[in-house]
Amino acid sequence: GRALLVLLLSATVSLLGGLIFGYELGIISGALLQLQTDFHLSCFKQEVLVSAVLIGALLASLAGGILIDRHGRRRAILVSNLVLLVGSLILTLARSFIVLVIGRMTVGFAISVSSMACCIYVSEMVAAHQRGLLVSLYEAGITVGILLSYALNYIFADVDDGWRYMFGLAIAPTIMQFLSILFLPVNPVKLSSWDSDCQKGLIPLQDTEDKAAPKREPYQEKHYSFLDLFRTRDNMRRRTLVGLGLVLFQQFTGQPNVLGYASKIFHSVGFQSNSSAILASVGLGAIKVVATLVAMALADKAGRRVLLLAGCVVMAVSVTIIGLSSRMAPLAMARDCKAATDPNASHSLTQDPPTPVFPQSPLSPVPPASGAVQSQASPGFAATRGLTKVFASTQSKEVVPNSSLAQKRDLVGQSKKGALESTGPPLGAAPWTQHTVLNWITLLSMMAFVSAFSIGFGPMTWLVLSEIYPAGIRGRAFAFCNSFNWAANLLISLSFLDLIDAIGFSWMFLLYGLMGVMAVIFIYLFVPETKGQSLEEIDQQFSRKR
């Protein structure tokens, strides 16, 4: 009975941790529509507000590892829950822009610590044959959290101070996770009675055939310094190479940017009504959920290495197809935050065609992609689309299709403020609408890319990272790799349009395809299979010089 309880509570902690992470990443896109009008935010201020989460998360990546290793995984999750509650209350009660930024930084710090501690804690808590399923459950939680944030963005769009409810509702899953983990034991690796608990079957750490292992060779936890990550002791340097390689290739295969084209591709194949905004975001979100569930089911059967290789091959092929088809049917690109409320605000990244500004209209034009509508509520709003992408993919970990969310904001803004017909050029005049077959190929390739990422790199990177390091340094090692993940994500997202200006859209995606091929080679040569092995066995496997 207790073994089942531990299993269910571990699953709950993993799922709720991911749900909170995904929710906090997705909710800002809808909240910004109201915040921008309530606080009169310029382009630059919107970018600062969105990037505040990243700053908090980077700080957590640097400091969180020490917290996780020195004070335990369980305590780290409890602390992150309390910090998240404080951050959510600050956001809910905020009366100024500065307080909003502080609240988002606090939330960013909390979800970053929680994400690292959850993956490590759950991987140590459950049996070897269940570890892949339960750690991947975190990834599934992220995708569900993002979809939930879309729904609440839509529900509270017309409510006065709706953004306060959006931020405040994060308190509910946070309290649920806090209460769930109170009933779970302390970090199992540090329990002196752990072996006897295993033998009694109270906590299913290992398979039956593995239960004799602790008797034969008691697992001695070693102590490591941070610099040991770069030394040959216990083959730590190779483990660091595997961890950094996975997080960097996860980003350099173009994952933060491919979904930026979601709305444009949906429109190019004929979904030209306002409802296509919801179709693009929720539809792709649903694909991610289904693909992540497939990864959960296969992680402990097919294995991590197989899923990583298969996912990488499909990603490389699909992104190459997008690059080749775009050579024949180019998609327009533009930066459209230059016409923001603050003329000196830094330009931002967005994937919408340029829109003419009409001097006779007091309203700021909205890209006609969402059904040729202008909204009073949207001047300068596109500023945040690119930067919001930065967070959406972190820790993956996940990508929020924010360009399509921008369309939904336009749709919401239309219902809130009243819409005017645009006198802009008809969408059908765009050159890429004449290549229907190629556009459908591009759309299907993008769906394949999303699915492959959610089966391979999405969940498996974090599962492998939670397994390959010794317990004594696992938190710091995970945090070290995680900081590179955030930094690479930011670099890829912010350099995207500059690179397209320099080498062109199709060459950019062909370059992503090449990186995908390199990722396949890297995984084949360096990433071992860890399915069905206890964490101690994985540690011993890595410790042997090879």
Side-chain angles (χ1 to χ4, degrees):
R2 184 176 162 200
L4 181 62
L5 180 65
V6 167
L7 192 66
L8 289 174
L9 286 174
S10 297
T12 304
V13 167
S14 186
L15 184 65
L16 286 173
L19 188 140
I20 295 164
F21 190 95
Y23 181 83
E24 291 290 0
L25 295 181
I27 203 67
I28 188 66
S29 54
L32 267 173
L33 179 64
Q34 296 182 354
L35 289 171
Q36 185 223 348
T37 52
D38 289 357
F39 290 88
H40 310 293
L41 300 182
S42 65
C43 255
F44 177 70
K45 283 186 174 180
Q46 290 175 64
E47 290 177 337
V48 168
L49 186 55
V50 176
S51 57
V53 171
L54 178 61
I55 295 164
L58 274 173
L59 289 173
S61 295
L62 301 174
I66 299 169
L67 170 68
I68 292 167
D69 277 342
R70 289 201 182 158
H71 300 286
R73 292 74 161 116
R74 180 175 178 269
R75 192 173 294 171
I77 297 173
L78 289 171
V79 169
S80 74
N81 286 154
L82 293 175
V83 173
L84 188 60
L85 285 173
V86 171
S88 297
L89 285 172
I90 290 172
L91 287 168
T92 307
L93 304 173
R95 298 284 174 191
S96 70
F97 172 70
I98 297 296
V99 176
L100 282 171
V101 171
I102 292 170
R104 288 299 284 175
M105 281 182 66
T106 307
V107 164
F109 186 93
I111 62 174
S112 185
V113 171
S114 173
S115 66
M116 296 184 289
C118 276
C119 289
I120 295 172
Y121 184 74
V122 172
S123 75
E124 293 172 344
M125 186 58 62
V126 298
H129 66 281
Q130 296 164 329
R131 194 169 56 239
L133 172 70
L134 288 181
V135 177
S136 300
L137 198 58
Y138 185 89
E139 181 79 9
I142 293 177
T143 56
V144 172
I146 290 171
L147 280 177
L148 179 64
S149 69
Y150 288 170
L152 292 175
N153 282 344
Y154 195 71
I155 290 168
F156 289 111
D158 296 333
V159 178
D160 288 337
D161 278 349
W163 57 271
R164 295 188 190 276
Y165 298 104
M166 294 179 195
F167 289 138
L169 281 170
I171 292 172
T174 305
I175 292 174
M176 287 169 64
Q177 189 187 36
F178 185 89
L179 295 175
S180 298
I181 204 166
L182 285 178
F183 294 98
L184 280 169
V186 191
N187 179 8
V189 174
K190 301 195 174 179
L191 273 179
S192 56
S193 61
W194 184 240
D195 291 347
S196 61
D197 277 355
C198 279
Q199 304 310 317
K200 292 173 191 168
L202 293 179
I203 301 168
L205 178 71
Q206 296 167 319
D207 291 350
T208 313
E209 61 269 19
D210 293 335
K211 284 185 180 175
K215 290 181 183 174
R216 290 196 309 269
E217 187 182 339
Y219 182 67
Q220 298 294 320
E221 183 180 328
K222 300 176 185 175
H223 295 284
Y224 296 89
S225 71
F226 178 74
L227 291 177
D228 283 332
L229 284 175
F230 312 102
R231 294 177 179 143
T232 54
R233 177 191 175 189
D234 290 338
N235 231 355
M236 290 298 291
R237 191 183 293 163
R238 179 167 176 261
R239 304 186 207 214
T240 304
L241 172 69
V242 170
L244 285 181
L246 285 175
V247 295
L248 291 175
F249 275 120
Q250 184 193 58
Q251 301 301 327
F252 290 148
T253 46
Q255 178 259 148
N257 295 317
V258 170
L259 277 187
Y261 281 89
S263 57
K264 187 181 299 300
I265 293 170
F266 268 75
H267 281 292
S268 69
V269 296
F271 299 105
Q272 293 179 16
S273 67
N274 280 335
S275 61
S276 68
I278 298 165
L279 183 68
S281 56
V282 178
L284 286 168
I287 290 171
K288 287 183 77 65
V289 171
V290 171
T292 306
L293 292 175
V294 171
M296 284 170 52
L298 295 178
D300 291 311
K301 292 176 182 162
R304 292 75 156 131
R305 181 181 159 90
V306 171
L307 291 181
L308 278 168
L309 285 170
C312 254
V313 168
V314 174
M315 284 169 68
V317 170
S318 56
V319 86
T320 302
I321 291 173
I322 292 174
L324 291 173
S325 63
S326 68
R327 288 187 70 78
M328 295 173 269
L331 296 173
M333 285 284 295
R335 308 166 191 261
D336 67 26
C337 195
K338 290 179 179 175
T341 49
D342 176 4
N344 297 317
S346 62
H347 64 256
S348 168
L349 315 173
T350 178
Q351 284 81 14
D352 282 306
T355 315
V357 179
F358 303 106
Q360 71 272 22
S361 168
L363 303 180
S364 176
V366 174
S370 61
V373 175
Q374 287 183 346
S375 163
Q376 203 172 350
S378 61
F381 196 75
T384 54
R385 288 178 208 155
L387 266 173
T388 308
K389 271 207 323 274
V390 172
F391 315 108
S393 56
T394 88
Q395 216 68 18
S396 39
K397 267 176 158 176
E398 285 300 315
V399 171
V400 182
N402 285 288
S403 293
S404 56
L405 274 177
Q407 296 174 311
K408 196 193 306 183
R409 295 178 209 129
D410 297 341
L411 171 67
V412 170
Q414 174 189 357
S415 62
K416 186 177 178 184
K417 301 286 187 180
L420 293 177
E421 285 297 314
S422 169
T423 53
L427 192 67
W432 35 268
T433 52
Q434 283 136 40
H435 300 274
T436 310
V437 175
L438 284 173
N439 287 326
W440 273 102
I441 291 172
T442 305
L443 173 61
L444 293 173
S445 298
M446 190 186 66
M447 289 178 167
F449 183 93
V450 170
S451 302
F453 179 84
S454 297
I455 286 174
F457 266 139
M460 294 305 127
T461 297
W462 310 102
L463 175 55
V464 171
L465 277 181
S466 67
E467 294 175 328
I468 63 175
Y469 294 104
I473 199 173
R474 196 171 285 141
R476 283 165 290 170
F478 200 106
F480 175 71
C481 294
N482 197 19
S483 63
F484 273 82
N485 178 68
W486 285 93
N489 193 296
L490 181 63
L491 176 69
I492 292 292
S493 296
L494 295 184
S495 63
F496 186 53
L497 286 180
D498 292 318
L499 279 171
I500 283 182
D501 288 344
I503 64 175
F505 173 83
S506 56
W507 284 110
M508 185 75 242
F509 274 66
L510 291 173
L511 183 61
Y512 288 153
L514 178 63
M515 294 302 293
V517 172
M518 291 171 65
V520 170
I521 296 169
F522 172 83
I523 293 165
Y524 182 79
L525 292 178
F526 293 106
V527 180
E529 183 54 75
T530 56
K531 71 169 180 177
Q533 295 176 298
S534 69
L535 296 176
E536 293 78 15
E537 288 172 336
I538 295 168
D539 187 23
Q540 289 163 9
Q541 176 186 339
F542 261 103
S543 295
R544 290 193 290 267
K545 304 289 181 196
R546 296 201 297 165

